[in-house]
Structure formats: C-alpha cells, structure tokens
Amino acid sequence: MEQFKGKSRLPSFAIPKRYELDLVPDLSGCKFGGSVRISVDVVSDTRFIVLNSAALSIDSQSVRFRSPQSWFQELSPSEVVLVEEDEILVLGFDEVLPIGEGVLAIAFAGTLNDQMKGFYRSTYEHNGEKKNMAVTQFEPADARRCFPCWDEPAMKASFKITLVVPTELVALSNMPVTEEKVDGLVKTLYFQESPIMSSYLVAIVVGLFDYVEAVTPDGINVRVYCQVGKSDQGKFALDVAVKSLNLYKGYFAEPYALPKLDMVAIPDFAAGAMENYGLVTYRETALLYDARHSAASSKQGVAITVAHELAHQWFGNLVTMEWWTHLWLNEGFATWMSYLAVDSIFPEWNIWTQFLDDSTSGLRLDALAESHPIEVDINHASEIDEIFDDISYSKGAAVIRMLQSYLGASCFQRSLASYIKRYAFSNAKTEDLWAVLEEESGEPVKMLMNSWTKQKGYPVVSLTLKSQVLEFDQTHFLADGSSGDGQWIVPLTLCCSSYNAQKKFLLKTKYDKLDILELLGSPSGKASLFGENSQGIAGGSWIKFNVDQTGFYRVKYDVELAAALINAVKSKQLSATDRYGLLEDSFALCMACKQTLSSLLSLLDAYREELEYTVLSHIITISYKVISVAADAIPGLLDDIKRFFIGILQVHAQKLGWESRDGESHLDVMLRGELLIALAKFGHDITHNEAVRRFEAFLNDRNTLLLPPDTRKAAYVAIMQTVTISNKSGYESLLRIYRETDESQEKVRILGSLASCPDPEIVLEALNFLLTTEVRNQDAVYGLGGVSRNGRETAWKWLKENWEYISKTWAGSLLTSFISSIVSPFSSDEKAEEIESFFSSRITPSITRTLKQSIERVKINSKWRESIRNDHSLGEVVKELSHK
Ligand code: BES
Ligand code: ZN
C-alpha cells in the first residue's frame, strides 16, 4: 500500500484497454451516479490495481475483478483505499491477479461541482428561468473527478459511453449516438465506441441547445451548438471549422479520425476552449460571432481559437504527448498551426505579422529568471496547470516557426505528415519529433533544438562592425539587465540593403566573426554596402538580422548599424515584421537598461509614417508601458511624453474616424478600436468629447450606427476617465448596459472598462462588483486587467483583504491572474518586499511560479525607473519630439 504513495506516475502492472462508462447526471440535484467496467491488461504479477480517482465516493462493495480464466469467479478486493493527496484508488486483492485481460467493475457517485473542472455545473437562462447544464473539463488531470480511470495521457483506451438524461435535453459526447431509448421522462443514449484516446479528451455535455450544421466534402458532420435562439451566431465558427478540417487533412495527409465534430458554447468555462476529441467546448466569446454586436477582434479570436482546437484533433488527440513534460508539443504546435490555417482562410488579415505578438509574449516571459524550459519536469498533478503558459504556447510556437523557416516549409510539412502517420493512435515525446525531422531533412535537428527546449531563456546577439568584419556575441538575455549562463545554437539570418541578398548560418559558439566579403560573396556586394574605399557602412545601406523575425532571439546592433536601420525605417525599406522586430528589441533592451529611453523615443519618432496594423498596435502597447513607468520616474515629463504618443497616433485616428465604412479592411477596423482606446486613456480631448457624444446616442438607441462594436470599448474607457465618486452617472450607465445585455462580448467590454477610472473609490466599487453574483467567476479576470494607475494601491489593498475568499473561489490560471494583474504594475523594491511578505504565509504550489514571476517584474520595473531618472538627455529629447 505505502509503496504507491507520493509517486508522480501510476504503476504500470495493469494497463487499461477499454472503458464502458455509464453516467446518470442529476442536473437539479447537482450530483451524478455512475458505473464503469474497464478492460485491463495485467502485464506483471500483482495483488494490486492502482488507478486515479478524486472527489468521488466509491461504492467499495461494488468493486469486482473478473478474468477470462475465472469468468464465473469474481474477485472482490479486500482493501479499497482512496489516497486523497495523490488522487489514487488502491485496490488490494488477496491473491495475485492472473496475467492477461480482465475486467474491473466499479460503481461510484459524485457532485456536479462549481469549479469548472471535472464534471461540473454551468448555468444559463431559458425563457426567464435559471437552468443547469452538466459539462466536463478534464484536461489536464480531472477525468478522475468524473470516473475512476488511468488518468495519464499515455494510457490510451477506447471509450463506450452511455448516458441517462431527461428526455427534453440534448446530450453530447465524443462519438455519435447509435441508439436512443426513451422511457417517459428520461432517455438512455448509447454512444458509439471511440477509437483509443487519452482520458483527458473524454467529454460530455448535457443541456438545452440549438445548433447549426454543415457537412465536409468527406462526409463529416460538423455542428455548432449554442444557447437556444442564438444559433445564427455559430455560423462563422462553423465555416472556419469546415475549412480548417479540410486544410489539416491535406497538410497532415491524414483524414479527421472521427465520424462527427461538435463544437459547443458553454456559459461557464475556465479556459478559452478545449479540444475534446469530437466534442470541442468553448467559452461563448471564443465561439460565437454576431456581425451586429461583435468586434472584428472577436471575429479573429474565434477563427484562431477554432483553428487551434481543430489542429489538436491531429496534434494532441491522434498523436498525444507521452507525458505533460511534452505539453508544448500539443500547445506550441496547435498555436503555430492555427496561424497557418487562418492565414490560408483569411490572407488579408496578415496573421503571420500578428503572430509576432505571440512571439513577444514568449520573449517577455522567458526573459525572467523565474522562467522554465519548454520541456519541464512534472512531479505532481498540481504542477501541470501552471505550464499552460506563454512558454508552452508562445515560445513553443515561435521555436517551431524558427525551425520551419530553417528547414523550409515543404520539408517541414512532409516530416510532420510522416510523424503523424508513425505515431497515430499512440504517444510521442519531443525527441521522437526531432528524429523524424532529422531523417527527412538530413539536418542536425536534435542538437539544434535541444538548446531551445531543454534550457530556459534565449540569447541576445550583439553585433559590431569593425573594419568590415562583423562580430557576434551571444549572451543569455534577462529582463533585469543581468545575463544568464545559457548558450544556444542560433539559426541566424541576415539581409543586406535588400531582401534579395539574404544569408543564413548557425551560430554555434558564444563569439564568432564573419568577413563581410565572405558573407556577400562578391566584391561588388562589398562595394554596395560600404561604398568605395569606405571603412564604415555606406549611406543608404543597412544590415537587418533575424530577417522577418522568424528567430526566437533578440538582436543588439552597434551604434552605426542601428543608425543605418533607423534610416531604412524612414525610407520604408524594411518589411513590417522587421520594423516590428527592430522596435520590440529596442524596447526590451531599454527596459533592461541597456539602452536609454531617449534613444527608444528617437527610434519611435522614425515610425511616424507607419501604416501596418500590427506595428501600430505594438507602438500602442509600448506606449502604455513607457507612460506607466514615466509616471513613476519623471512625473514632470509625463504630459510631454503623452503628447508625443498622441502625436504619433492621432493622425491615424483622424483618418479612420469612429464609424465603420463600407469595404474597409479588417485590420483598419481593429486598429481604429485600439487607437481610440489609447487616445481616450491619454486624455486626448477631441477623442474624449467625441466618445461622450456617441455614448449618449448609444444610451438612447443600442442600435445606433454612431457607436459600432469595434469602438464601443473606447467610448466606455473614455467615459470612465471623468467619472468620480460624486459624479457616477457614467459608471451607472455602464452597469445598466451590462445588466441589460445578454451578449457575453458586451459584458466583457464593460468589465474591462470599469476599473480604468482614475478615481480610486470607483476602482474599489468596480473590483467589488467582480465579486458579486452578477459576474460569472470565469469573467472576473477581465475586470482586473483594466485597473488604472491611480487605482493600483486600492487594488492591492483589495486583493489582500479579499485573498481568503478569492483563493477559495478561483483556481488555476483564473486565480493566478489576480496576482499577476494586480502585482505586476508596481515599480518599487519596497513594494516587491511588501508583496513577498504578504504572500509568505499564503503560498501554495499552484501560485508559486506566478507569484515569483510577478515580483520579479516589479523589481525589473524598479530598476528601469531608476535608469530613466538617470537619463539626463531625456528632458530635452522629449521636449523636442513632443512639439513636432
Ligand atoms: N488544451 C487547451 C485548453 C486548456 C488550457 C486545458 C489550460 C487545460 C488547461 C486548449 O487547446 C487551448 O489551448 N485553449 C486556449 C485557446 C487558444 C486559442 C490559445 C485557451 O483556452 O486559452
Ligand atoms: Zn491548445
């Protein structure tokens, strides 16, 4: 017995092959009963069977083991022990079990919980009446809360599910229904047996729904289920789903493995979406799109989410990671593939340029000392949740992109198809993928990629040009300005003065140098770069490294190379991705105190004629950070810095206006929303007055064309800028809209605006509102993101006072987002200490990583703030730039 405790994996003397699972959910009583018969293969001598179970009451008397040798003689265990802390059920028999196949039968019961994990209850309204639905969310390790099982990704088995539910309800599972028996008020649904799959992908949904459907050219029935009366809002996702399925079938040279695909909008949902095999579940905001009420950014979000979850049907569901250490194989690939699919369906969205925001999130997190390698040890189920982070998703996707661009798109696709074929209905590790890629490409993929997935962090490559020799120096980049001890094999790319002159090579050591002549291969190239007889770089020439930002590293140029690139930006010679990259690397170097804020602002000044959505959107992101730290460091210059950013942004805002125009591009629509929000936050008068006027019109008529969904959040934020505790009417109007609407996207917009008010007393009211029953637990996170700078202290005090309740009510990433959103904006060492000391007695394994990362961010902000105070040319530069 004792020997099974405290282990990270189940013992492997019995392996599950097939589950027959019967469940009877009681929606009004919020409980369920069930029984399971599991065919297992006993592969070595044992008296014990050990499987997972959590929060279930097991009927000990019901447990039986039958083997073909003793078909009529059923064995009952003499010991049935639930080890709560390890979430295992240990069955001890008096005799050694016969080797070979046997069937384990167990009856059990459980509660439909409110935690959005395991088998849980979600609520909705139908004809004014509050109703319950029953939903499962098993990833990463919560199938064990619904039925006893071998709850590990490598323990694949087939599932034959039977549900007994009220006759009027829709009940869905991974496979189609083969038979339905109605018996008065209840019906029994028999689902077809599934192919072998991992337990975390099993799913059940029971409730009232409408649906829309389509059939793929291969005859696969695809449906989108949503709340009764809203099925029109499922049409967009349905279309994306059908197109994605087709695309992936071609890309992987392997058809979708199941006979149907259902996608369901769930009103209470912890993540954004979940790729259950054949039954994908979503938050409403991630699946539903309504042309009248949804913003263009929501439309894009739906497309990306659907494409992501459907990529998992191959990468994840058909071929599954062997253990959670390889989670990134699932999430990194699905993220990368979603861009591939969306780019093909909506080429006009320039989605690969937008992908850089994903890479940037990876680069930001991975620059912390408290980051972790892509392949991370997992020793306990409670550690899995925290690795669904920007390392597994964004860095994962970015290193895939880096490898793809190094090996070439067609070689990469061929290798992936053969990987999928080789490991279909099975499991794989990271090195299995490298092996296939190495075979197909003949390149040293394993050696190259180990340096990216087995150690945390990434390099900054510093470049100096001395006497026509380029010198490289890679160091482990850390956001606080120090350097780590990592070293990488860096697939470097560069181009000289034109995208036609590109080179690539592997930087394998810390230092390296290259003769520019060798690099360009011809004396004429040299001449064009340097000019005749010149030592330095010629006017008009430039060298850009990390071409199109496909590499996961940063570049630091020497003064001369940097100046040449600024000219290239001004003379519009760089691609949008390279303009983005140059700016982002400069910004990161500036935060790490390796470059002054004045030089960053001068670089930004070169972007006055920028037109690309993603680049402008990134300028906005950077402006928020700069303004926030400037407010702490140099309050006297704050107004001028704001004026500088307003100057860059308002030209575009003026051009785009507030209303939609026929035929305008998706990217312009998204840009308009972001620009107006930024201008509203910076207190731009014209924007504010216009927002007030349009908001009034919207209050009188929710269908007014004066305030389309894409500009609504900007109006809400603008309104909140002038609300005070003694004049709350704007705040109250927003609450009224919140209460009247049944659109989740509208509710989210409002929640994200309320706490942006500069009056701390209003911030407190907004935060308290998040804890009321009017806000679903899944949505509180939206309210935390928008807290104004003036509201920081209030929010921190509020978090401390409510921590006990919050830590009991939320879990996983929903809980950690309370910490990261409220803690990270501070910028002083004293605050970091105060935060550390508050949590020292409240720390738990599930918040440890996020807490350390958030405190590290506060310390980084603090250093940055100090360095800005010491930037003596800043005042002059800001004055000059802000009056242009
Ligand atoms: N497998 C995840 C869902 C998940 C996340 C389960 C965390 C358990 C813990 C799913 O495929 C996913 O990645 N969803 C994303 C959406 C996607 C578009 C990035 C999400 O939920 O944010
Ligand atoms: Zn995913």
Side-chain angles (χ1 to χ4, degrees):
M1 211 8 269
E2 289 303 312
Q3 71 268 34
F4 304 123
K5 292 190 178 168
K7 296 273 156 58
S8 58
R9 311 264 300 243
L10 293 170
S12 57
F13 30 65
I15 312 280
K17 296 289 166 197
R18 176 174 190 264
Y19 291 81
E20 275 182 33
L21 173 63
D22 300 349
L23 286 171
V24 188
D26 169 0
L27 272 59
S28 46
C30 286
K31 54 190 198 281
F32 62 95
S35 63
V36 65
R37 287 163 304 289
I38 314 173
S39 307
V40 298
D41 199 5
V42 179
V43 292
S44 54
D45 284 344
T46 177
R47 254 184 350 100
F48 294 98
I49 292 184
V50 184
L51 65 164
N52 293 113
S53 175
L56 291 175
S57 61
I58 302 290
D59 175 0
S60 303
Q61 299 307 313
S62 73
V63 182
R64 294 285 183 278
F65 185 80
R66 284 182 337 219
S67 79
Q69 287 97 319
S70 55
W71 201 249
F72 297 105
Q73 187 208 342
E74 293 183 323
L75 301 176
S76 299
S78 48
E79 275 183 290
V80 176
V81 184
L82 269 163
V83 186
E84 241 173 75
E85 61 277 19
D86 293 320
E87 305 185 338
I88 55 171
L89 173 64
V90 181
L91 308 173
F93 295 84
D94 287 336
E95 49 198 283
V96 169
L97 301 172
I99 299 280
E101 190 138 319
V103 177
L104 176 69
I106 307 174
F108 54 89
T111 316
L112 290 176
N113 69 70
D114 278 327
Q115 311 276 303
M116 298 183 272
K117 65 181 186 184
F119 202 8
Y120 72 94
R121 161 182 90 116
S122 172
T123 59
Y124 59 104
E125 269 192 25
H126 183 248
N127 294 337
E129 204 186 313
K130 198 171 169 196
K131 298 233 169 212
N132 290 338
M133 71 170 76
V135 190
T136 56
Q137 168 60 41
F138 289 168
E139 195 184 14
D142 292 316
R144 62 191 69 176
R145 292 173 193 276
C146 181
F147 60 99
C149 57
W150 275 258
D151 201 9
E152 294 183 355
M155 295 291 182
K156 287 193 172 185
S158 63
F159 290 84
K160 182 158 186 9
I161 294 174
T162 305
L163 295 178
V164 180
V165 298
T167 313
E168 73 280 8
L169 297 185
V170 174
L172 304 167
S173 183
N174 308 82
M175 299 294 288
V177 173
T178 48
E179 197 191 338
E180 172 171 339
K181 284 187 194 150
V182 178
D183 180 9
L185 291 177
V186 296
K187 61 185 175 187
T188 305
L189 299 174
Y190 301 87
F191 293 88
Q192 190 181 322
E193 183 167 333
S194 77
I196 64 164
M197 59 188 264
S198 307
S199 54
Y200 79 88
L201 294 168
V202 172
I204 290 158
V205 175
V206 183
L208 275 179
F209 296 100
D210 276 353
Y211 66 82
V212 283
E213 71 180 329
V215 181
T216 69
D218 302 319
I220 291 156
N221 203 293
V222 185
R223 287 184 179 176
V224 175
Y225 285 88
C226 41
Q227 277 189 51
V228 172
K230 289 194 179 177
S231 63
D232 269 358
Q233 297 182 25
K235 285 182 176 161
F236 175 70
L238 181 66
D239 184 48
V240 174
V242 169
K243 288 178 175 150
S244 305
L245 283 179
N246 258 332
L247 196 116
Y248 295 147
K249 180 191 166 205
Y251 191 87
F252 293 121
E254 188 76 47
Y256 173 66
L258 304 186
K260 63 94 177 171
L261 170 70
D262 292 326
M263 310 204 294
V264 196
I266 309 291
D268 301 273
F269 199 78
M274 175 65 211
E275 71 266 26
N276 314 297
Y277 222 168
L279 177 55
V280 183
T281 45
Y282 296 81
R283 260 184 199 229
E284 292 191 341
T285 45
L287 185 68
L288 306 182
Y289 172 75
D290 173 348
R292 280 183 313 132
H293 295 289
S294 308
S297 57
S298 304
K299 183 177 190 175
Q300 185 177 300
V302 168
I304 285 280
T305 311
V306 170
H308 175 109
E309 304 311 334
L310 298 195
H312 277 313
Q313 306 301 306
W314 283 260
F315 237 102
N317 300 7
L318 185 59
V319 179
T320 311
M321 70 232 149
E322 196 274 337
W323 182 241
W324 298 105
T325 296
H326 308 283
L327 173 72
W328 84 281
L329 278 181
N330 265 14
E331 299 305 348
F333 263 91
T335 301
W336 176 78
M337 294 274 326
S338 69
Y339 283 84
L340 197 80
V342 168
D343 186 47
S344 138
I345 306 173
F346 303 100
E348 69 281 11
W349 291 0
N350 292 358
I351 203 79
W352 279 117
T353 308
Q354 297 191 54
F355 177 81
L356 294 184
D357 283 340
D358 239 293
S359 305
T360 299
S361 328
L363 290 165
R364 289 275 153 82
L365 181 55
D366 210 20
L368 300 185
E370 293 292 343
S371 180
H372 63 83
I374 284 185
E375 294 184 64
V376 54
D377 282 344
I378 295 291
N379 297 309
H380 192 273
S382 64
E383 297 171 10
I384 310 172
D385 263 333
E386 271 197 303
I387 61 165
F388 284 84
D389 62 2
D390 285 336
I391 298 299
S392 302
Y393 281 75
S394 305
K395 182 181 182 184
V399 299
I400 290 159
R401 181 157 192 242
M402 176 163 74
L403 181 62
Q404 186 219 22
S405 76
Y406 182 70
L407 297 178
S410 72
C411 168
F412 198 69
Q413 170 173 5
R414 242 183 304 118
S415 311
L416 289 188
S418 86
Y419 166 82
I420 293 284
K421 190 156 273 118
R422 191 174 306 174
Y423 293 100
F425 299 110
S426 178
N427 297 79
K429 297 181 175 160
T430 305
E431 63 214 50
D432 296 326
L433 177 64
W434 299 156
V436 178
L437 282 155
E438 195 154 316
E439 264 168 50
E440 294 276 344
S441 68
E443 293 277 343
V445 175
K446 188 169 169 200
M447 177 189 76
L448 168 65
M449 293 310 286
N450 277 349
S451 79
W452 296 94
T453 62
K454 290 193 188 288
Q455 64 181 339
K456 63 183 175 187
Y458 58 87
V460 53
V461 179
S462 304
L463 297 164
T464 356
L465 182 63
K466 275 189 206 142
S467 319
Q468 306 190 8
V469 173
L470 265 177
E471 294 184 4
F472 308 92
D473 170 8
Q474 60 157 313
T475 43
H476 182 165
F477 181 78
L478 286 171
D480 68 352
S482 64
S483 356
D485 48 14
Q487 204 173 304
W488 287 263
I489 299 179
V490 191
L492 276 184
T493 52
L494 67 133
C495 64
C496 299
S497 302
S498 142
Y499 285 89
N500 298 325
Q502 290 198 26
K503 294 279 167 204
K504 66 171 188 177
F505 59 96
L506 292 180
L507 175 65
K508 293 185 183 155
T509 48
K510 178 162 170 58
Y511 303 102
D512 208 345
K513 46 172 100 170
L514 260 183
D515 191 312
I516 212 86
L517 255 189
E518 229 171 87
L519 196 70
L520 295 175
S522 77
S524 65
K526 178 191 166 191
S528 70
L529 191 64
F530 293 101
E532 297 298 341
N533 310 321
S534 157
Q535 281 293 307
I537 196 161
S541 300
W542 46 270
I543 310 180
K544 171 72 177 57
F545 278 77
N546 196 4
V547 181
D548 277 334
Q549 298 301 120
T550 54
F552 192 75
Y553 54 90
R554 297 192 185 277
V555 181
K556 184 173 187 295
Y557 298 93
D558 71 12
V559 176
E560 198 187 2
L561 292 169
L565 281 168
I566 294 185
N567 283 331
V569 172
K570 286 187 187 151
S571 57
K572 303 194 170 61
Q573 295 187 63
L574 292 191
S575 67
T577 41
D578 283 330
R579 296 197 301 275
Y580 181 110
L582 185 64
L583 185 58
E584 167 55 25
D585 284 351
S586 274
F587 174 60
L589 289 164
C590 172
M591 255 188 105
C593 313
K594 301 280 181 204
Q595 191 183 312
T596 60
L597 181 57
S598 19
S599 72
L600 177 73
L601 296 179
S602 307
L603 174 65
L604 274 161
D605 191 53
Y607 286 71
R608 284 193 188 263
E609 291 179 30
E610 182 57 55
L611 292 175
E612 180 77 19
Y613 160 74
T614 308
V615 182
L616 282 165
S617 164
H618 201 54
I619 291 175
I620 293 172
T621 308
I622 289 174
S623 73
Y624 289 146
K625 282 272 202 174
V626 169
I627 284 173
S628 152
V629 74
D632 287 339
I634 33 163
L637 288 180
L638 188 60
D639 283 342
D640 283 330
I641 292 187
K642 280 189 183 169
R643 187 173 315 125
F644 168 65
F645 282 113
I646 289 174
I648 293 186
L649 302 179
Q650 75 168 346
V651 199
H652 302 282
Q654 244 163 24
K655 209 168 67 194
L656 292 171
W658 276 77
E659 290 159 38
S660 321
R661 292 182 204 147
D662 283 346
E664 69 184 343
S665 78
H666 169 81
L667 295 175
D668 275 349
V669 181
M670 293 216 296
L671 180 60
R672 169 186 295 132
E674 291 176 33
L675 281 168
L676 292 174
I677 291 174
L679 290 170
K681 285 192 178 168
F682 300 160
H684 182 236
D685 283 346
I686 302 172
T687 305
H688 184 262
N689 297 340
E690 199 54 34
V692 172
R693 182 175 81 84
R694 289 170 188 269
F695 185 68
E696 291 302 323
F698 180 66
L699 278 182
N700 295 329
D701 169 16
R702 298 294 148 81
N703 292 315
T704 177
L705 295 176
L706 289 178
L707 198 61
D710 301 282
T711 44
R712 236 170 259 167
K713 177 144 183 212
Y716 300 166
V717 168
I719 292 298
M720 287 310 302
Q721 297 315 300
T722 52
V723 166
T724 59
I725 198 75
S726 48
N727 181 6
K728 284 168 62 172
S729 72
Y731 179 72
E732 278 154 1
S733 303
L734 280 175
L735 284 185
R736 194 162 70 242
I737 302 171
Y738 181 90
R739 289 175 176 135
E740 283 171 13
T741 182
D742 67 343
E743 301 278 334
S744 330
Q745 283 159 357
E746 186 68 58
K747 284 191 193 281
V748 165
R749 268 197 287 273
I750 293 172
L751 290 176
S753 316
L754 293 177
S756 72
C757 182
D759 185 336
E761 289 185 71
I762 295 286
V763 171
L764 183 60
E765 280 197 30
L767 292 172
N768 283 332
F769 179 64
L770 301 178
L771 303 183
T772 65
T773 50
E774 287 190 76
V775 180
R776 291 184 190 263
N777 286 348
Q778 64 162 11
D779 290 335
V781 45
Y782 298 114
L784 304 169
V787 175
S788 65
R789 220 185 71 82
N790 277 2
R792 268 189 317 192
E793 276 299 338
T794 307
W796 166 233
K797 189 155 168 274
W798 173 85
L799 183 70
K800 288 190 285 188
E801 280 166 6
N802 292 285
W803 181 250
E804 203 177 316
Y805 172 74
I806 290 169
S807 59
K808 270 197 232 120
T809 312
W810 282 271
S813 65
L814 291 175
L815 175 62
T816 51
S817 68
F818 277 85
I819 300 177
S820 52
S821 335
I822 291 180
V823 165
S824 309
F826 286 107
S827 67
S828 77
D829 291 345
E830 300 77 63
K831 207 63 189 185
E833 262 166 46
E834 186 187 329
I835 294 159
E836 224 158 355
S837 97
F838 173 78
F839 279 107
S840 62
S841 56
R842 294 168 177 86
I843 194 90
T844 60
S846 64
I847 63 166
T848 308
R849 206 190 283 278
T850 308
L851 181 65
K852 284 184 177 165
Q853 291 168 344
S854 305
I855 292 172
E856 194 182 343
R857 290 203 157 102
V858 176
K859 293 182 181 162
I860 292 164
N861 289 342
S862 159
K863 269 195 175 176
W864 189 28
R865 192 190 60 170
E866 276 317 301
S867 95
I868 290 175
R869 283 194 181 146
N870 296 327
D871 180 350
H872 299 301
S873 51
L874 189 58
E876 216 172 296
V877 173
V878 169
K879 286 269 178 299
E880 189 205 318
L881 294 178
S882 63
H883 287 97
K884 266 198 178 176

